[in-house]
Amino acid sequence: MFKKIRKIIFILILANIAFILWGKFFNPPITITQISGILNYGKLERDYVDYDEMNSHVKKAVIAAEDQKFFTHNGFDYQAIEKAYRDNEKGKKIKGGSTISQQTAKNVFLWQGRSWFRKGLETVYTFIIELIWGKEVILERYLNSIEMGQGVFGVEAASHYYFGKNAKNLTKSEAAWIAAILPNPKKYDPNNPSSYLRKRHTWIMRQMNNVRLP
């Protein structure tokens, strides 16, 4: 029995290593979150595109909105994590302090939800993809795999869904609108923005001026 368990664990480890290496060159065929989107909304709107087909506006917008230290940290923003911990201890609205790298690890390899077990796996995957994939690949996988609407995944599908155009043709304002909905893409709609979303959009537009791409 012990040998069988050890063999299963060994196979799972090898499969994970193969999937991580494969992910450096290819987008995921499907993710757990995307399967959830199919089950919940009966659709999967997704169209993977290469990094060069995503214009600088959308890259700057998501970095400005989600992780302004993306190109300088090692996968973890320790100041943001510490602040999130202090805020959560004080009973404020729960925040994760997750970087784009961590969100990519979660969305590509894992599932949504809050647990120490999932967070531990996310940490391991984040560390590995930072070493193996590099920043450009991580950002491409992030922009292709994250949920950007009800059953809508990735910036290309979101561009068509909200603005009827390719991601490479998004204006600065349109890119900022897509980035603005990321805290809760199932709830927010750039075509029918709340006052909060309008303020967030304006803030992202300003922050984009401070983002420098390599």
Side-chain angles (χ1 to χ4, degrees), residues 57-77:
H57 291 318
V58 72
K59 297 169 189 173
K60 288 182 178 181
V62 297
I63 290 171
E66 297 291 299
D67 183 5
Q68 294 189 22
K69 298 178 181 178
F70 174 67
F71 286 110
T72 59
H73 63 56
N74 65 350
F76 306 94
D77 185 342

Side-chain angles (χ1 to χ4, degrees), residues 6 9 33 37 65-67 74 91 97 111 118 126 132-133 137-140 150 157 167 182 189 191 200 205:
R6 187 170 60 182
I9 293 173
T33 305
E66 297 291 299
D67 183 5
N74 65 350
W111 60 92
R118 190 200 60 74
T126 299
I132 297 176
W133 288 7
V137 173
I138 290 173
L139 187 57
E140 180 182 320
Q150 297 183 356
L182 292 182
D189 183 348
N191 292 319
R200 180 167 166 79
M205 289 277 285

Side-chain angles (χ1 to χ4, degrees), residues 135-205:
K135 296 294 186 180
E136 185 175 305
V137 173
I138 290 173
L139 187 57
E140 180 182 320
R141 299 293 174 268
Y142 174 82
L143 286 168
N144 273 324
S145 65
I146 60 170
E147 192 168 20
M148 292 185 167
Q150 297 183 356
V152 179
F153 294 86
V155 66
E156 184 71 11
S159 299
H160 284 280
Y161 185 73
Y162 296 116
F163 302 112
K165 61 173 67 175
N166 295 331
K168 64 182 179 182
N169 296 322
L170 287 172
T171 66
K172 179 180 179 180
S173 178
E174 289 166 344
W177 276 120
I178 290 177
I181 69 173
L182 292 182
N184 196 340
K186 296 177 183 178
K187 174 183 177 182
Y188 298 132
D189 183 348
N191 292 319
N192 186 27
S194 62
S195 58
Y196 164 77
L197 204 63
R198 290 182 186 278
K199 292 177 183 177
R200 180 167 166 79
H201 174 263
T202 300
W203 178 82
I204 292 172
M205 289 277 285

Side-chain angles (χ1 to χ4, degrees), residues 13-188:
I13 292 173
L14 286 181
N16 268 275
I17 292 173
F19 188 37
I20 291 168
L21 293 174
W22 186 85
K24 180 177 175 64
F25 304 99
F26 304 99
N27 286 287
I30 198 164
T31 67
I32 295 174
T33 305
Q34 290 170 359
I35 293 173
S36 177
I38 297 173
L39 296 176
N40 290 329
Y41 305 108
K43 65 177 183 178
L44 174 59
E45 295 190 23
R46 183 193 71 180
D47 188 7
Y48 291 149
V49 293
D50 293 336
Y51 186 82
D52 293 337
E53 294 182 60
M54 308 168 182
N55 71 20
S56 61
H57 291 318
V58 72
K59 297 169 189 173
K60 288 182 178 181
V62 297
I63 290 171
E66 297 291 299
D67 183 5
Q68 294 189 22
K69 298 178 181 178
F70 174 67
F71 286 110
T72 59
H73 63 56
N74 65 350
F76 306 94
D77 185 342
Y78 298 104
Q79 289 181 329
I81 293 172
E82 183 179 351
K83 183 179 185 304
Y85 177 79
R86 290 199 306 267
D87 288 346
N88 295 340
E89 284 289 297
K90 294 176 182 177
K92 295 183 179 180
K93 185 178 179 180
I94 296 178
K95 299 177 182 179
S98 294
T99 63
I100 283 176
S101 301
Q102 289 174 275
Q103 292 179 52
T104 303
K106 176 181 68 177
N107 281 280
V108 172
F109 299 104
L110 303 170
W111 60 92
Q112 305 298 315
R114 294 180 179 277
S115 72
W116 287 112
F117 176 68
R118 190 200 60 74
K119 200 67 177 177
L121 291 176
E122 177 189 298
T123 300
V124 173
Y125 279 115
T126 299
F127 178 76
I128 294 173
I129 64 174
E130 277 279 339
L131 287 176
I132 297 176
W133 288 7
K135 296 294 186 180
E136 185 175 305
V137 173
I138 290 173
L139 187 57
E140 180 182 320
R141 299 293 174 268
Y142 174 82
L143 286 168
N144 273 324
S145 65
I146 60 170
E147 192 168 20
M148 292 185 167
Q150 297 183 356
V152 179
F153 294 86
V155 66
E156 184 71 11
S159 299
H160 284 280
Y161 185 73
Y162 296 116
F163 302 112
K165 61 173 67 175
N166 295 331
K168 64 182 179 182
N169 296 322
L170 287 172
T171 66
K172 179 180 179 180
S173 178
E174 289 166 344
W177 276 120
I178 290 177
I181 69 173
L182 292 182
N184 196 340
K186 296 177 183 178
K187 174 183 177 182
Y188 298 132

